[in-house]
Amino acid sequence: MMEEIFQLLKEKFPEAIVEIPEEAKDPTVVIRKEQIREVSLFLRDEVGFNYLSFMAGVDLPERFEVVYYLYSMGREPISSNLGPLAIKVYVEDKTNPSLPTVSDIWPSAFQQEQEIYDFFGIVFEGHPDLRRIFMWEGFPGWPLRKDFENRTFTFKELEPTRPKAPYW
Amino acid sequence: MAVALKTQEIVLNMGPQHPSTHGVFRMVLTLEGETIVDLKPVYGYLHRGIEKLSEGRSYLQAVPITDRLDYMCAMTNEFAYAVAVEKLAGIKPPERAEYIRVIMAEFTRILNHMMAIGFLFNDLGAYFTPVLYAFRAREHILDLFEWASGSRMMPNYIRPGGVAGDLPEGFIPQAKKLVAHLWKFADELDTFLSENEIFLQRARGVGVLPPEVAIAYGVTGPVLRASGVKYDVRRAEPYSVYDRFDFEIPTLPNGDVYDRYMLRLLEWKQSLRILEQALDQIPDGPVSEKVPRRLRPPKGEVYGRIEAPKGELGFYLVSDGSDKPYRFKIRPTSFVNLGVLREITIGHKVADVVIILGSIDITMGEVDR
Amino acid sequence: MFGLGLLKGLYTTIKHGIMTYFKGYKHPFPKRYFTGRPAPRLEPEGVGLFTLQYPEEKYSMFPRFRGALMHLRDPQTGQPKCVACGACALACPHGVIEVVAEGKGKERKLVDYLYNLGRCVFCRLCVEACPYGAIEMSHEYELATYENKMVLHLEDLLKIGDRSNVTESGWAWK
Amino acid sequence: MTDLENILPYLGELIARWLRGFLPSWLVDMIMMAIVGLLIILLMVIVVMALTLLERKILGRLQDRLGPNRVGPYGLIQPVADVLKLLIKEDIIPEKADRLLHFLAPVIIVVPAFMVWAVIPFGKKLVAADLNIAVLYVIALGSVTSIAILMAGWGSGNKYALLGGFRAVAQLFSYEVPMALAILSVVIAAGSMSLQKIVEAQSPLPFVLLQPVAFLIYFICGVAETNRSPFDLPEAESEIIAGYHIEYSGVKWAMFFLAEYINTFAVSAMVVTLFLGGWKGPILPSYLWFFIKVAIVVYVFFWLRATFPRLRIDQLLNFSWKFLVPLAMANLLVTGLVTKLGLVYGIKVTAYWVGNILVGGLGLYLLGRFTPKKALA
């Protein structure tokens, strides 16, 4: 099943696929970040991956990775479930990481992208409301990056960064 | 109304200190009269950085931390984590451990559903009665958990590779007794609440979530199945020993608050069916595989998921070969389910927002992590 | 017909209300003036009074209950079994334990054992890590203090161990 | 028994006779009225204290709990502790509040609550003022409450309070209409507006048996008038937290609390007086019968609170205007027709019954048809 999908992707977007790692535990395909929207639309509409389970950012020493886990669900097709299919996007630029949003393709990406922005500082171009949702706007640093200073912050340090009420 | 009366919109802050936002959730509502025009969820009041904390701990030390994600159903959190780690390290837990896990997970599901129903009625204004009845039955379940693991709510019982210890003597007869009682309690709640005309009026046709929207927003669990989508990880991607049990995935067509309530009741009964089978079939044998205390799984990444009471709960783990996870990502059920809140509340009244939120059934520990 | 569902609901609540006088924990006199034996856990019945008047009535704890940490003594010598290997401190997810020891190698001797109760999550990972069976979770759960005395020392932990009448670690997990 | 029955009027007469010895009679009348008023206020405060404890105890029992049990044996001194706590609590006035309205609202809400008791007959001879328009007086006083609630809602300068105030006004105004109509059918059946006369008209059968539909309507409206569950929208705990009294604390909050419980008690007393035969009853003195009956009605109030979820505001108003008002009017029509026919008692009772069952059954059937169903389509 997955082989066919990979074949389909290779035919349709030959230049978009960076690699298909063989040793991965879940079927994985690495997509160039410029083509992620087209590939996503294709996977959603033509293949039927209508359910984006989650998105995760990973901070590797050489690059950022954003992982999309796709499944499919429908009204009745318990037997015809696709997935999982992991799409990976490498974000090579570590200083100003950015990639296109998929929040209009899978609305569930809306909050997930906010979360990744909040924790990794990866900007999703075209996201309608990209803001920090767990930390406050102006929190120093991106907590889940590996270079984040892992220590106790004092109140005095953080207080000036906090937005003043009303802040909605 | 033919002529709409123009009124000034007011911005109402619901939460973080509000009796029915289920914790420290905050909604910024824009109201026209009592009708919701806009809703903006605000998170982060319970953010503890669990993902970051877990990256600094070994695979075993992260188990007590997963307990504190969705503190209502700690057992399933551990279960999901164990499934992920076992997939990562290639461990196969023994048979008896799998059965114990299923028993614990199904008890947790019942516990969560009864509390969800109870708190839904609290939001509806039933002044604590269903909640306290549910608390009462929950206490019996928690007694079992305490008996087996030593702690009511933070059991730290299901570990990668098995469970912490075998079931104590007399556990299974007591559990069977409790299952019989829970059948009765389900029926009692059914007569108590299901036909209540006030509840029907409040809940029918409120917060309707169409299946397409539900899928697009990644909603899982009872909320999804109440919209008529037959999707359950236990059947879609069977983990543990769920493929051995005979049970159904109930779905309901309307996707309103009432259906979400009803679906929890139906699922509760299916869980009891699983429990009856599991308690009968449980084999003897060891309960834990030999797993080193400092587990060093091979390099790679993995996503392990289970059907938690609230929906799909998964852990995305990236290992770099060391004894600590390189990336510890939680796929939080409540957080993803909450994404659809704005979509289904706009146009309803203030009183409906709280019950829609209650019917989605969130735990802030899992939303904010 | 409208109202049948409402009547069913009313029937359920009044049934519970009446049954509290007959089933469950019985309090013919205000229990607070007669403190007695530990209360049993109720059998699952569904009706009956469920209030336990806490400070006077208490549950008896399950054997595996995880309360505060305690140190066990060697029954022969009466000395603490702990050899200050530090496995517990390493296993703890929250850095609760600090082992203070003297000497190196065979000479290593336990001097003090700092247990930060304020940070403990009672997960029992330290006990499982202990190769000598020197520590165990006690059944003590009323741990609130008026002073900021959250760090327990070796003698406090030994006192808890003496109180709890346990000689073997992991006795409940067999 | 007659001694017990007459003990309070006799005492009053004794005091009055003694006072007349050295005071002009108009002054004596005034003093006697003041004494009666004070007695009623005192009684009400005690009743409220008892009610707060009873409510918590009863709710506790219905929920498998014990209720308050810490202060004194069985928690009997709990209300005293509550009152003390409320009295010594800091009184906070929000910065954005309209200070005058914020101050006046608790005063205004508590006065009509006490005033209702002037006309309610506690016993055969125990009524402060046997007005011949007592029913009108009670209805009129009931509507004053909504002004105070609106004042509190607006004056607090809080959005939740404002929502609560809006809800309260809409609710109280809507439920006054069917309430008045329900009382009217009782008045027609009794042929008088004086509450004493209405009580006396209920022999041998109380009006609950003759006018079950009016009883139901009045009871529902009474629950709504006192803002109690399932009609507690103005102070909906889970939605708008406490509604109009969210910004009140200490003594002012206690005033709202007092008024609410007195109103609950007053509505129960009105239900008893209008429908359950008032102080009538065998053997025991009349005032005891009155309190026993009121206690039963109050228990039902608490029972409802423990069982039912709350309605939504639009459903609440629909229920009043589209169901209760037409039903009350139909009931009024039936009552008027039957009374006008001037039949002998036995036939009249049967006619009432038939009419009520027809009206009530039809109403409930229609309501059931328009209620969503459990059926899983």
Side-chain angles (χ1 to χ4, degrees):
Chain A
M1 192 71 208
M2 280 299 148
E3 301 302 314
E4 293 166 32
I5 293 167
F6 287 155
Q7 206 56 46
L8 219 58
L9 277 176
K10 272 180 196 157
E11 282 165 21
K12 193 97 187 197
F13 305 99
E15 77 286 1
I17 296 175
V18 178
E19 59 172 323
I20 299 179
E22 292 293 325
E23 73 281 8
K25 291 215 167 57
D26 297 322
T28 309
V29 56
V30 184
I31 305 284
R32 280 179 58 218
K33 74 172 189 187
E34 287 78 13
Q35 261 98 346
I36 178 70
R37 284 185 58 84
E38 291 125 67
V39 175
S40 299
L41 269 174
F42 172 74
L43 283 175
R44 186 192 68 174
D45 294 336
E46 314 282 319
V47 185
F49 282 107
N50 52 1
Y51 165 44
L52 171 69
S53 173
F54 73 97
M55 288 169 66
V58 184
D59 177 18
L60 292 175
E62 63 278 11
R63 57 168 184 260
F64 286 115
E65 281 180 12
V66 177
V67 189
Y68 304 72
Y69 257 76
L70 301 179
Y71 293 89
S72 81
M73 49 167 91
R75 272 186 171 258
E76 277 304 322
I78 277 210
S79 49
S80 72
N81 273 317
L82 292 170
L85 173 66
I87 300 182
K88 265 192 194 172
V89 177
Y90 293 160
V91 186
E92 308 283 354
D93 184 3
K94 284 213 84 165
T95 45
N96 285 314
S98 77
L99 77 161
T101 177
V102 293
S103 63
D104 49 337
I105 298 170
W106 293 290
S108 64
F110 186 88
Q111 286 190 335
Q112 306 265 353
E113 287 181 352
Q114 284 178 334
E115 185 192 327
I116 292 175
Y117 168 70
D118 190 356
F119 287 155
F120 289 92
I122 299 174
V123 175
F124 289 88
E125 295 151 6
H127 190 286
D129 184 19
L130 199 63
R131 63 193 162 88
R132 307 191 75 158
I133 52 173
F134 293 123
M135 322 310 276
W136 55 87
E137 219 51 74
F139 180 82
W142 310 101
L144 277 180
R145 286 193 190 179
K146 290 288 170 187
D147 57 3
F148 182 75
E149 204 186 345
N150 211 351
R151 63 180 173 87
T152 312
F153 287 86
T154 59
F155 180 76
K156 248 188 199 151
E157 229 177 313
L158 290 180
E159 185 53 24
T161 68
R162 289 167 59 89
K164 299 288 168 282
Y167 40 86
W168 54 82
Chain B
M1 208 164 45
V3 187
L5 216 62
K6 191 68 195 156
T7 50
Q8 193 193 348
E9 291 180 349
I10 56 173
V11 175
L12 187 71
N13 239 320
M14 201 175 250
Q17 293 104 352
H18 188 281
S20 50
T21 50
H22 293 242
V24 284
F25 181 48
R26 173 169 155 218
M27 295 178 279
V28 181
L29 305 174
T30 312
L31 303 180
E32 203 184 289
E34 281 221 17
T35 312
I36 314 285
V37 194
D38 195 10
L39 180 147
K40 188 174 153 194
V42 180
Y43 310 107
Y45 293 94
L46 200 62
H47 179 61
R48 296 157 292 175
I50 282 184
E51 295 185 1
K52 188 81 180 170
L53 281 176
S54 307
E55 280 172 21
R57 278 158 178 75
S58 75
Y59 285 92
L60 185 59
Q61 283 176 342
V63 177
I65 294 182
T66 60
D67 282 348
R68 279 132 182 106
L69 276 174
D70 180 353
Y71 37 77
M72 261 320 180
C73 14
M75 283 286 190
T76 46
N77 298 340
E78 293 169 1
F79 195 175
Y81 178 66
V83 164
V85 174
E86 279 157 13
K87 204 170 158 188
L88 184 65
I91 307 166
K92 177 97 180 64
E95 196 90 320
R96 186 173 171 84
E98 296 276 31
Y99 273 90
I100 294 174
R101 285 177 181 191
V102 168
I103 290 168
M104 294 301 179
E106 293 308 316
F107 269 129
T108 306
R109 192 180 317 277
I110 295 169
L111 180 157
N112 179 70
H113 283 353
M114 66 173 69
M115 293 317 285
I117 290 171
F119 280 118
L120 172 64
F121 272 81
N122 233 13
D123 296 345
L124 280 159
Y127 199 73
F128 285 103
T129 312
V131 181
L132 283 161
Y133 293 171
F135 260 128
R136 180 191 178 116
R138 172 178 181 255
E139 210 56 39
H140 293 305
I141 299 178
L142 291 181
D143 276 354
L144 286 187
F145 287 177
E146 187 181 344
W147 193 4
S149 74
S151 182
R152 294 163 71 243
M153 288 180 71
M154 305 293 149
N156 189 19
Y157 185 61
I158 298 174
R159 311 273 178 81
V163 293
D166 201 353
L167 295 177
E169 200 124 330
F171 183 92
I172 287 177
Q174 185 67 25
K176 279 181 179 163
K177 220 188 277 178
L178 183 56
V179 167
H181 168 63
L182 288 173
W183 277 112
K184 266 190 266 164
F185 182 53
D187 290 339
E188 187 185 14
L189 272 193
D190 202 10
T191 37
F192 181 19
L193 308 169
S194 297
E195 282 166 52
N196 191 318
E197 276 87 351
I198 299 176
F199 174 47
L200 279 161
Q201 283 220 331
R202 281 299 300 278
R204 267 268 178 252
V206 170
V208 175
L209 176 63
E212 296 77 32
V213 178
I215 294 170
Y217 274 87
V219 172
T220 46
V223 185
L224 175 77
R225 291 193 282 279
S227 296
V229 184
K230 207 164 182 170
Y231 187 84
D232 189 317
V233 183
R234 285 177 295 176
R235 277 281 187 253
E237 195 186 316
Y239 54 95
S240 194
V241 286
Y242 272 108
D243 44 358
R244 299 184 197 175
F245 301 119
D246 170 34
F247 66 102
E248 282 150 32
I249 310 292
T251 56
L252 290 174
N254 299 324
D256 51 13
V257 171
Y258 187 84
D259 272 8
R260 274 169 234 152
Y261 152 79
M262 202 65 206
L263 193 104
R264 296 212 163 88
L265 214 54
L266 296 176
E267 231 176 77
W268 172 348
K269 292 180 182 170
Q270 294 301 324
S271 288
L272 287 173
R273 281 182 61 191
I274 299 178
L275 275 173
E276 280 173 353
Q277 295 168 43
L279 287 170
D280 278 337
Q281 293 169 12
I282 183 164
D284 283 332
V287 292
S288 188
E289 206 65 22
K290 269 260 173 279
V291 177
R293 298 201 68 80
R294 292 254 159 205
L295 180 67
R296 285 174 207 273
K299 236 171 129 118
E301 59 243 12
V302 84
Y303 175 57
R305 59 176 189 161
I306 67 159
E307 180 76 19
K310 295 184 167 79
E312 177 186 333
L313 173 71
F315 286 83
Y316 178 71
L317 301 172
V318 180
S319 158
D320 59 349
S322 73
D323 61 347
K324 289 170 184 165
Y326 186 79
R327 174 85 173 96
F328 184 96
K329 156 80 188 171
I330 302 149
R331 192 254 186 221
T333 318
S334 306
F335 179 63
V336 180
N337 284 1
L338 257 188
V340 84
L341 179 68
R342 183 180 184 276
E343 199 74 9
I344 56 177
T345 40
I346 292 204
H348 287 299
K349 301 266 185 291
V350 176
D352 291 332
V353 176
V354 292
I355 66 165
I356 291 171
L357 185 69
S359 73
I360 290 179
D361 181 23
I362 56 163
T363 305
M364 281 321 278
E366 200 182 11
V367 175
D368 287 345
R369 280 161 286 152
Chain C
M1 190 79 163
F2 187 87
L4 286 181
L6 299 179
L7 290 179
K8 278 184 188 172
L10 286 174
Y11 163 73
T12 310
T13 42
I14 198 76
K15 186 183 79 189
H16 274 265
I18 292 170
M19 287 316 272
T20 52
Y21 294 98
F22 301 107
K23 285 198 165 167
Y25 293 114
K26 297 253 168 47
H27 304 292
F29 300 104
K31 185 79 186 179
R32 350 183 359 213
Y33 304 119
F34 305 94
T35 52
R37 285 174 294 127
R41 313 253 169 168
L42 279 188
E43 286 293 309
E45 260 184 320
V47 286
L49 194 61
F50 208 65
T51 301
L52 195 72
Q53 299 197 325
Y54 160 59
E56 294 90 18
E57 280 179 299
K58 283 173 194 168
Y59 276 146
S60 52
M61 286 297 142
F62 286 115
R64 290 182 183 180
F65 178 78
R66 307 202 300 255
L69 194 70
M70 63 183 174
H71 264 259
L72 303 178
R73 285 178 198 277
D74 198 322
Q76 269 97 47
T77 58
Q79 289 301 306
K81 284 185 191 171
C82 182
V83 298
C85 65
C88 46
L90 213 63
C92 180
H94 298 284
V96 170
I97 297 167
E98 196 188 329
V99 182
V100 184
E102 261 176 3
K104 284 259 157 68
K106 289 258 183 203
E107 308 282 281
R108 197 171 157 88
K109 242 190 97 208
L110 182 67
V111 176
D112 202 357
Y113 192 92
L114 306 181
Y115 168 61
N116 191 342
L117 196 54
R119 296 178 69 165
C120 185
V121 297
F122 308 104
C123 65
R124 204 172 173 273
L125 287 180
C126 49
V127 181
E128 286 168 20
C130 182
Y132 300 93
I135 46 177
E136 180 53 275
M137 309 302 274
S138 69
H139 287 188
E140 305 218 345
Y141 54 91
E142 287 160 328
L143 302 167
T145 55
Y146 282 105
E147 309 100 55
N148 190 0
K149 246 175 59 183
M150 281 309 192
V151 178
L152 300 188
H153 292 265
L154 180 62
E155 55 266 35
D156 305 320
L157 298 171
L158 279 170
K159 250 180 242 163
I160 298 176
D162 295 342
R163 270 203 297 267
S164 68
N165 223 346
V166 174
T167 51
E168 190 190 357
S169 177
W171 60 278
W173 294 79
K174 290 282 153 53
Chain D
M1 278 304 135
T2 40
D3 296 346
L4 271 177
E5 182 69 59
N6 293 329
I7 186 158
L8 274 173
Y10 177 71
L11 270 177
E13 199 58 36
L14 216 64
I15 297 170
R17 207 180 291 160
W18 174 64
L19 282 175
R20 278 207 195 88
F22 49 92
L23 285 175
S25 69
W26 60 269
L27 198 59
V28 174
D29 285 351
M30 280 184 73
I31 289 174
M32 289 310 291
M33 277 183 197
I35 290 175
V36 171
L38 270 178
L39 273 180
I40 286 180
I41 288 179
L42 208 66
L43 177 73
M44 279 308 112
V45 172
I46 292 168
V47 159
V48 167
M49 282 166 73
L51 277 186
T52 54
L53 180 67
L54 267 182
E55 166 152 41
R56 293 173 63 187
K57 278 281 190 191
I58 290 169
L59 280 179
R61 284 289 176 176
L62 292 175
Q63 298 170 346
D64 296 347
R65 296 186 286 123
L66 205 51
N69 57 31
R70 290 284 113 181
V71 191
Y74 302 103
L76 282 176
I77 314 177
Q78 182 73 41
V80 180
D82 287 345
V83 167
L84 276 179
K85 171 228 164 195
L86 283 174
L87 289 180
I88 58 177
K89 209 173 163 182
E90 187 190 356
D91 176 34
I92 298 166
I93 301 171
E95 197 184 336
K96 295 271 172 62
D98 187 326
R99 296 182 80 93
L100 185 67
L101 291 186
H102 189 262
F103 173 74
L104 276 182
V107 182
I108 290 180
I109 200 166
V110 88
V111 171
F114 280 120
M115 278 168 72
V116 174
W117 289 94
V119 295
I120 289 179
F122 291 95
K124 204 175 267 174
K125 287 168 190 166
L126 288 177
V127 53
D130 190 7
L131 290 187
N132 50 2
I133 49 150
V135 168
L136 271 184
Y137 175 84
V138 171
I139 295 176
L141 280 179
S143 15
V144 179
T145 316
S146 58
I147 298 173
I149 291 180
L150 189 60
M151 279 166 75
W154 178 257
S156 294
N158 183 308
K159 288 166 190 167
Y160 286 109
L162 190 61
L163 281 177
F166 287 165
R167 284 179 175 194
V169 173
Q171 174 179 333
L172 292 178
F173 283 153
S174 324
Y175 277 81
E176 232 139 62
V177 178
M179 187 179 201
L181 289 173
I183 297 185
L184 208 55
S185 53
V186 173
V187 169
I188 289 176
S192 168
M193 275 199 182
S194 154
L195 289 178
Q196 275 297 24
K197 293 243 172 64
I198 289 177
V199 171
E200 271 150 24
Q202 301 183 49
S203 61
L205 288 178
F207 281 144
V208 66
L209 294 178
L210 302 185
Q211 300 273 359
V213 174
F215 169 73
L216 266 181
I217 296 174
Y218 185 81
F219 190 78
I220 291 170
C221 296
V223 180
E225 282 278 314
T226 48
N227 297 335
R228 293 192 65 82
S229 179
F231 301 100
D232 57 346
L233 290 113
E235 44 195 287
E237 167 76 20
S238 61
E239 296 152 21
I240 50 174
I241 304 168
Y244 52 86
H245 54 65
I246 186 170
E247 292 288 4
Y248 285 92
S249 64
V251 183
K252 287 180 186 165
W253 186 82
M255 288 289 159
F256 281 105
F257 203 62
L258 195 69
E260 185 188 320
Y261 277 88
I262 295 175
N263 278 334
T264 310
F265 201 63
V267 165
S268 315
M270 281 298 284
V271 168
V272 167
T273 311
L274 291 174
F275 294 99
L276 299 179
W279 38 259
K280 279 181 182 305
I283 307 170
L284 293 174
S286 57
Y287 46 87
L288 268 185
W289 267 113
F290 176 81
F291 279 107
I292 289 171
K293 287 176 180 174
V294 171
I296 292 170
V297 177
V298 165
Y299 187 91
V300 175
F301 270 59
F302 296 156
W303 185 14
L304 292 181
R305 178 163 182 214
T307 310
F308 292 148
R310 186 184 300 125
L311 281 163
R312 203 171 59 206
I313 184 75
D314 53 334
Q315 291 162 350
L316 183 91
L317 300 184
N318 279 343
F319 186 66
S320 169
W321 291 111
K322 294 185 184 163
F323 176 68
L324 285 183
V325 171
L327 189 69
M329 282 182 168
N331 184 45
L332 194 60
L333 189 74
V334 169
T335 315
L337 274 176
V338 174
T339 316
K340 198 69 194 168
L341 288 177
L343 307 162
V344 281
Y345 192 76
I347 302 175
K348 199 161 84 174
V349 169
T350 326
Y352 274 139
W353 269 38
V354 173
N356 266 290
I357 287 170
L358 276 180
V359 170
L362 191 68
L364 284 181
Y365 170 73
L366 283 177
L367 193 63
R369 284 208 48 184
F370 291 106
T371 312
K373 289 291 171 304
K374 181 198 174 189
L376 313 164

